[in-house]
Amino acid sequence: MKSFLTTLLVGSSTFLYAQQGGNLTCEHLKNPLGIDAPQPRFNWHMQDSRPGARQTAYQLFVSTDSLQVQKAALWQSGKIPSGLNQAVYKGPALNPYTKYYWAVVLWDQDGKVAPLSSVASFETGLMNQLNWKGSWISDSRDIKIKPAPYFRKAFQTTKKIRSARAYVAAAGLYELFINGQKVGNHRLDPMYTRFDRRTLYVTYDVTKQLQEGKNAIGILLGNGWYNHQSTAVWYFDQAPWRSRPSFCLDVRVTYEDGSTETISSDTSWKTALSPIVFNSIYTAEHYDARLEQAGWNTADFDDSKWKNVMNRPAPSQHIVAQALHPIRNVEEIRTASLVRLNDTTWVYNMGRNIAGVSELKVKGKSGTVVRLKHGERLYENGRVDLSNIDAHYRPTDNQDPFQTDIVTLSGREDTFMPRFNYKGFQYVEVTSQDRDLELTPASLTAYFMHSDVPPVGQVQSSNPTLDKIWSATNNAYLSNLFGYPTDCPQREKNGWTGDGQIAIETGLYSFDGITIYEKWLADHRDEQQANGVLPAIIPTSGWGYDWANGPDWTSTIAVIPWNLYLFYGDTKPLSDNYENIKRYVDHITEIAPSGLTTWGLGDWVPVKSKSPVELTSSIYYFVDATILSKGAGLLNKTEDQAKYAALAKKIQDAINAKYLNSQTGMYGSGLQTELAVPLQWGVVPENLKAKVADNLAKRVKADGNALDVGLLGTKAILNALSENGHADVAYMLASNEKYPSWGWWIKNGATTLYENWDIQAKSDISLNHIMFGEIGAWIYKGLGGIKPDPTQPGFKNVLLRPNFVAGLEQFEAQHEGPYGRIVSSWKRTGKTVEYKVSIPANSTASVFLKGKKVTLAGKPVTVTKPSEGYKVGAGDHTFVIEE
């Protein structure tokens, strides 16, 4: 096969009609550095703009030679007859510390072969924690010490350097410096995990930072979630893993002569306390610029007054690569307005609500204390109001004010930005002891900080409010993505499972988030008890196993892997978590043998009506069993597939026997959530869907054409309506600008989503929350009609069911799926709608359209099987629909 392919590739160009593969990723990352996966996953796009272009076969090549990937292949797959754009490495065992190169060859629909794709790379990390040479070190065991510690090591290299990599694992947070320069642009590394069960390390290319001759490595350690010194209701200060932060480091240098040397953390390192006199991931950071030690991380610094480090045990026995999109300062935000309230107080308005940090540049008298209080609201007197976000804080004294950085000036030009903290805010109140201090709008800059996941979605419509809702949803989603999905970036920063399962589709339509979710699922596996129980927040110090968990919240263990499968066509998340889903479902069966369960929190923060917990939790139990059965089928576990399909049917029947009136098509008392949730999740018998949906539409009208749902109902109601003949009602709710609605928030100045429909509520009033965020996904689904096909996941086949709703004249949604860009765009002119579709190469679409007359390229569209829609291949297609 290899010689045959070579002949084709070097032969006459007349045989080369197919286009190359592109957008190559390994483990869903571009050219990743330092991965531990023994069988990495590869993905690519077919770059072919011809109508109907599709791949019929592929061949992968993996090599350690970047110039001869094909000829010097360590492994090649052989020609695989398949239209799929993903494959798993099945070659010889990969070596640690090794850079591999890979490329792919594609065959098109005519059997013609393309040239070799561009060459991509991936580099392995340590692969096995036994390969670490460094020791875990720290400056102390005392968890009460407040200042963050510096660490340094000077060394010499005597030969010319070819390449160098730094591998850093930490219990806590760190920043790495080489020869005075910070390495990389990541923030808050490593990501938060259950530290005593799994610890992450990060790999950096430090070739350019090292030099022949004298060098120095510096490490600054922060507390993060490891040494939580602030006190709040979640008991993180009592976490079983808690200790003074520590780290382990290997810098592996490869010289031009092929030899290697590793500079590691050991007891020869020196340590001292830094100017960061206090740091809390939960509250803020305090900094005394007078304590700065210039050049502390450079080779010529005199560290004779620094003390020796101490060895510490590794925090866990599972130290693995951090293979995900990192947290960064993604967007710089300048001051929108500045108000000086008096001689010592300024209030900066950044113009929008964000998660992140502020950076202060100021010059004042040595010893002057400046406070930066960050918040989402203002009192009537113009000062920052924290009363909506400090509800769960339980301070023991006044030395750790909430969301308030404290800076002591040096007398020089000082620049301060927190290293080991982030906040949720729109306003920053700056107060100074010195009446002579001068501040300007340029003195303070904010940075929107979050996991830097690539955007893959775009929405634009003729309704400005709808577009602002979509934007606010994305801002809230990103504000709550810090290596795991959170609920709010100020009051809690917790990985609430309920918020996570509600927002999964919203996240995946707009952002390439699989690496974050795979990491979070590993957190689930770390936290799951032997009997299958999961806590309500993940990771956790131990809180959440006794309250707020249950099927409606902790179905994340099933719902998230299933959605990753739908959006990416990747079965690994299902495979990795299969036994965990099974244990979870089996536990519910154990405590609820009838098929009905009251375990759960229910429809959290509704407008006015609360639906029965038994109904909503039992439906999520049904969802979990259904996903488990489908996952078993995909993983060839046929016995489990049948077993859990039968269980799902039993649960469905139990729900309908108790809550469904089959004569009236009414669930329970007919509340919006009671009707919407069964429709959303497929509990309603097929012959009654229209009747139940009609009842839901009538209920919305009876409720004043307004929402009456909480978190669970919000996930369901728009989908339940738009997928069952009432898209106009769904759009009316989605675009409504009166209370209670998303539009009401927008009309009142929201730039993120809120936690409560009532802006004046006395509790549950974070102004940057994702729990009502399903609307972001619904805009793609309910208006653009873009949905993955479960039978051909990863948008191999795209389901397109657009709704040309009354009151909206134009709409376009784009989604960059695993095969390329999907566009669903429509515009109404009078009684005619022009609907444009773009399908990427190697994909197809099933288009479902309603109208008196539908034409494509001037020819009537006829559909043989309405359930299958009208099939189109790759390319651009324009339909005309007469309504």
Side-chain angles (χ1 to χ4, degrees), residues 6 224 232 316 357 455 583 688 691 723 758 764 796 874:
T6 303
S316 77
V357 292
R583 269 193 285 153
L688 290 177
K691 185 176 284 189
E723 292 172 9
D758 183 1
D764 302 311
K796 175 65 172 169

Side-chain angles (χ1 to χ4, degrees), residues 776-787:
W778 176 82
I779 291 172
Y780 290 93
K781 294 182 289 183
L783 298 177
I786 301 174
K787 296 190 75 173

Side-chain angles (χ1 to χ4, degrees), residues 74-89:
L74 168 73
W75 172 74
Q76 61 99 0
S77 66
K79 182 180 178 181
I80 307 294
S82 172
L84 297 179
N85 69 340
Q86 55 181 280
V88 176
Y89 177 78

Side-chain angles (χ1 to χ4, degrees), residues 292-605:
E292 291 175 352
Q293 299 188 51
W296 71 273
N297 45 22
T298 60
D300 293 326
F301 179 79
D302 180 6
D303 60 13
S304 59
K305 294 182 180 180
W306 287 31
K307 71 175 188 176
N308 295 326
V309 300
M310 62 186 300
N311 281 325
R312 285 271 300 279
S316 77
Q317 295 304 307
H318 193 40
I319 302 169
V320 297
Q322 178 173 295
L324 72 162
H325 292 289
I327 298 168
R328 293 188 175 100
N329 283 356
V330 177
E331 184 181 353
E332 179 182 296
I333 300 173
R334 299 288 185 178
T335 302
S337 63
L338 173 62
V339 175
R340 185 166 188 171
L341 297 180
N342 54 48
D343 289 347
T344 58
T345 308
W346 299 257
V347 175
Y348 286 81
N349 179 359
M350 309 318 296
R352 53 186 285 205
N353 201 332
I354 64 167
V357 292
S358 61
E359 181 182 66
L360 179 68
K361 294 182 178 180
V362 63
K363 184 175 183 180
K365 297 174 185 176
S366 177
T368 298
V369 175
V370 178
R371 292 176 172 243
L372 297 90
K373 181 193 291 187
H374 300 73
E376 299 182 316
R377 306 194 303 193
L378 298 178
Y379 289 113
E380 289 186 4
N381 64 7
R383 304 196 74 148
V384 167
D385 172 11
L386 298 182
S387 62
N388 68 316
I389 56 174
D390 63 0
H392 300 308
Y393 185 34
R394 302 292 184 268
T396 57
D397 55 38
N398 62 357
Q399 300 304 302
D400 181 18
F402 193 64
Q403 290 221 141
T404 303
D405 294 323
I406 301 175
V407 186
T408 303
L409 304 184
S410 67
R412 304 180 298 272
E413 192 81 38
D414 291 317
T415 298
F416 166 78
M417 181 176 69
R419 260 72 169 251
F420 303 123
N421 168 266
Y422 73 96
K423 307 168 188 72
F425 66 100
Q426 177 172 337
Y427 305 97
V428 184
E429 178 184 310
V430 181
T431 57
S432 168
Q433 291 178 323
D434 183 4
R435 294 177 180 274
D436 296 328
L437 195 71
E438 290 296 329
L439 296 178
T440 69
S443 299
L444 188 134
T445 303
Y447 291 92
F448 191 10
M449 187 170 138
H450 54 78
S451 290
D452 194 9
V453 287
V456 294
Q458 183 62 46
V459 163
Q460 187 276 325
S461 79
S462 56
N463 183 339
T465 298
L466 187 73
D467 291 359
K468 289 178 181 178
I469 292 171
W470 178 77
S471 178
T473 302
N474 287 344
N475 286 335
Y477 177 80
L478 292 174
S479 293
N480 286 287
L481 203 66
F482 280 79
Y484 65 107
T486 70
D487 58 334
C488 54
Q490 6 66 9
R491 191 185 67 207
E492 298 184 28
K493 299 182 172 78
N494 282 325
W496 280 98
T497 49
D499 303 64
Q501 66 94 351
I502 290 295
I504 178 66
E505 289 179 273
T506 288
L508 296 183
Y509 271 112
S510 286
F511 302 99
D512 179 12
I514 186 171
T515 61
I516 309 299
Y517 285 110
E518 287 194 316
K519 179 265 177 190
W520 197 39
L521 287 168
D523 296 331
H524 280 62
R525 297 193 294 272
D526 287 342
E527 298 287 12
Q528 188 174 35
Q529 294 186 353
N531 64 358
V533 173
L534 289 157
I537 59 172
I538 297 174
T540 181
S541 64
W543 189 96
Y545 286 100
D546 299 316
W547 185 82
N549 57 343
D552 48 1
W553 252 240
T554 42
S555 284
T556 42
I557 192 62
V559 170
I560 288 178
W562 180 248
N563 275 278
L564 294 178
Y565 171 70
L566 291 178
F567 275 77
Y568 290 88
D570 191 338
T571 58
K572 191 172 188 295
L574 283 169
S575 177
D576 287 347
N577 297 282
Y578 180 80
E579 292 300 326
N580 304 87
I581 303 169
K582 188 174 176 179
R583 269 193 285 153
Y584 187 65
V585 170
D586 287 348
H587 177 74
I588 306 174
T589 303
E590 207 172 275
I591 64 173
S594 70
L596 297 177
T597 179
T598 57
W599 184 30
L601 196 55
D603 198 24
W604 192 247
V605 193

Side-chain angles (χ1 to χ4, degrees), residues 523-825:
D523 296 331
H524 280 62
R525 297 193 294 272
D526 287 342
E527 298 287 12
Q528 188 174 35
Q529 294 186 353
N531 64 358
V533 173
L534 289 157
I537 59 172
I538 297 174
T540 181
S541 64
W543 189 96
Y545 286 100
D546 299 316
W547 185 82
N549 57 343
D552 48 1
W553 252 240
T554 42
S555 284
T556 42
I557 192 62
V559 170
I560 288 178
W562 180 248
N563 275 278
L564 294 178
Y565 171 70
L566 291 178
F567 275 77
Y568 290 88
D570 191 338
T571 58
K572 191 172 188 295
L574 283 169
S575 177
D576 287 347
N577 297 282
Y578 180 80
E579 292 300 326
N580 304 87
I581 303 169
K582 188 174 176 179
R583 269 193 285 153
Y584 187 65
V585 170
D586 287 348
H587 177 74
I588 306 174
T589 303
E590 207 172 275
I591 64 173
S594 70
L596 297 177
T597 179
T598 57
W599 184 30
L601 196 55
D603 198 24
W604 192 247
V605 193
V607 176
K608 60 179 186 291
S609 304
K610 186 70 180 284
S611 298
V613 171
E614 184 181 64
L615 173 61
T616 53
S617 284
S618 298
I619 288 173
Y620 273 95
Y621 175 29
F622 164 78
V623 171
D624 295 341
T626 302
I627 290 172
L628 182 55
S629 175
K630 291 178 179 178
L634 291 167
L635 300 174
N636 299 314
K637 300 176 184 290
T638 53
E639 190 174 318
D640 278 359
Q641 182 181 12
K643 174 184 176 179
Y644 291 104
L647 175 61
K649 182 65 167 60
K650 175 185 175 179
I651 300 165
Q652 181 182 19
D653 290 346
I655 294 168
N656 288 333
K658 181 167 183 177
Y659 287 97
L660 171 63
N661 183 325
S662 58
Q663 299 300 313
T664 62
M666 196 71 74
Y667 277 84
S669 59
L671 298 174
Q672 289 183 25
T673 293
E674 290 178 304
L675 295 166
V677 173
L679 279 168
Q680 155 83 12
W681 294 111
V683 172
V684 181
E686 193 66 34
N687 65 321
L688 290 177
K689 282 185 177 180
K691 185 176 284 189
V692 175
D694 288 347
N695 285 332
L696 177 58
K698 291 174 184 175
R699 181 67 193 217
V700 169
K701 184 176 181 180
D703 287 329
N705 288 322
L707 292 166
D708 182 22
V709 291
L711 180 144
L712 302 179
T714 306
K715 174 70 179 177
I717 189 165
L718 299 181
N719 300 305
L721 288 165
S722 62
E723 292 172 9
N724 293 283
H726 296 281
D728 286 350
V729 178
Y731 174 67
M732 179 271 297
L733 290 174
S735 60
N736 181 23
E737 296 179 2
K738 296 180 180 179
Y739 172 81
S741 69
W742 297 274
W744 169 248
W745 295 338
I746 298 299
K747 294 298 284 186
N748 281 273
T751 57
T752 48
L753 301 187
Y754 293 173
E755 185 187 10
N756 203 312
W757 301 112
D758 183 1
I759 300 173
Q760 303 303 322
K762 300 301 181 184
S763 63
D764 302 311
I765 193 57
S766 156
L767 301 186
N768 193 344
H769 225 84
I770 194 54
M771 75 178 195
F772 291 135
E774 166 63 14
I775 190 170
W778 176 82
I779 291 172
Y780 290 93
K781 294 182 289 183
L783 298 177
I786 301 174
K787 296 190 75 173
D789 183 345
T791 66
Q792 298 184 66
F795 297 97
K796 175 65 172 169
N797 184 61
V798 186
L799 301 181
L800 291 173
R801 298 179 183 269
N803 288 298
F804 313 128
V805 294
L808 191 64
E809 301 306 308
Q810 178 270 328
F811 177 84
E812 178 174 293
Q814 298 183 22
H815 174 70
E816 187 81 19
Y819 291 87
R821 180 164 298 175
I822 302 156
V823 180
S824 176
S825 174

